[in-house]
Amino acid sequence: MNKEVKTKKAPKALGPYSQAVKNGKVLYCSGQIGINPMTGKFVSDLSVEEQAVQALNNLKEVLGAAQMTPKDVVKVMVFMTNIADFKAVNEIYANFFADNECLPARSAVGVQALPAGALVEVEAIARKNN
């Protein structure tokens, strides 16, 4: 059975979708962008680094709402409007998952555009093992 997961500690959905959906032990997280949930605005319009940090922090809050952590993440998809930002985003990503014994599988792709003019978007699938 699917169960919606939501938190006010991450930006509300920009459309007709859930922040995440839990099915059994698996959590499917919608893409998170660099919007500060308190202000509803991007942390920076120009800094992919700041947006990446905020997007990952937002993801962490969604995971927390499902009683999960980054250690439970098994797959991540990263979308960037400029693939040249790969190195900068990769460093932030590596820091975010630094405590994981097993790093998640990942895709990282360049795309033409992202919602609301975001520079980076991160979505994930997590599974609780206990």
Side-chain angles (χ1 to χ4, degrees):
M1 175 188 271
N2 291 339
K3 179 184 175 196
E4 180 181 23
V5 173
K6 61 183 173 181
T7 177
K8 292 182 180 180
K9 294 180 180 180
K12 63 182 179 179
L14 298 177
Y17 59 89
S18 301
Q19 287 175 323
V21 173
K22 190 171 185 183
N23 183 294
K25 294 182 177 187
V26 180
L27 182 69
Y28 300 90
C29 300
S30 293
Q32 290 294 321
I33 56 179
I35 290 178
N36 178 322
M38 303 306 246
T39 65
K41 298 181 182 196
F42 283 107
V43 291
S44 170
D45 290 334
L46 302 176
S47 171
V48 70
E49 294 89 353
E50 289 180 44
Q51 284 194 22
V53 168
Q54 184 66 52
L56 288 165
N57 286 338
N58 292 341
L59 174 63
K60 186 175 183 179
E61 293 296 345
V62 172
L63 291 165
Q67 291 78 48
M68 293 189 181
T69 72
K71 291 181 180 183
D72 297 308
V73 175
V74 296
K75 171 70 174 156
V76 178
M77 289 71 66
V78 179
F79 307 94
M80 296 163 278
T81 57
N82 185 349
I83 198 66
D85 291 329
F86 178 82
K87 183 178 179 183
V89 172
N90 202 46
E91 289 176 12
I92 292 160
Y93 175 94
N95 187 54
F96 183 78
F97 287 107
D99 292 337
N100 286 35
E101 288 180 28
C102 177
L103 291 171
R106 183 184 77 180
S107 302
V109 297
V111 296
Q112 184 174 357
L114 290 167
L119 302 176
V120 62
E121 181 173 2
V122 181
E123 69 177 64
I125 300 170
R127 184 176 191 284
K128 196 72 169 173
N129 287 323
N130 52 16

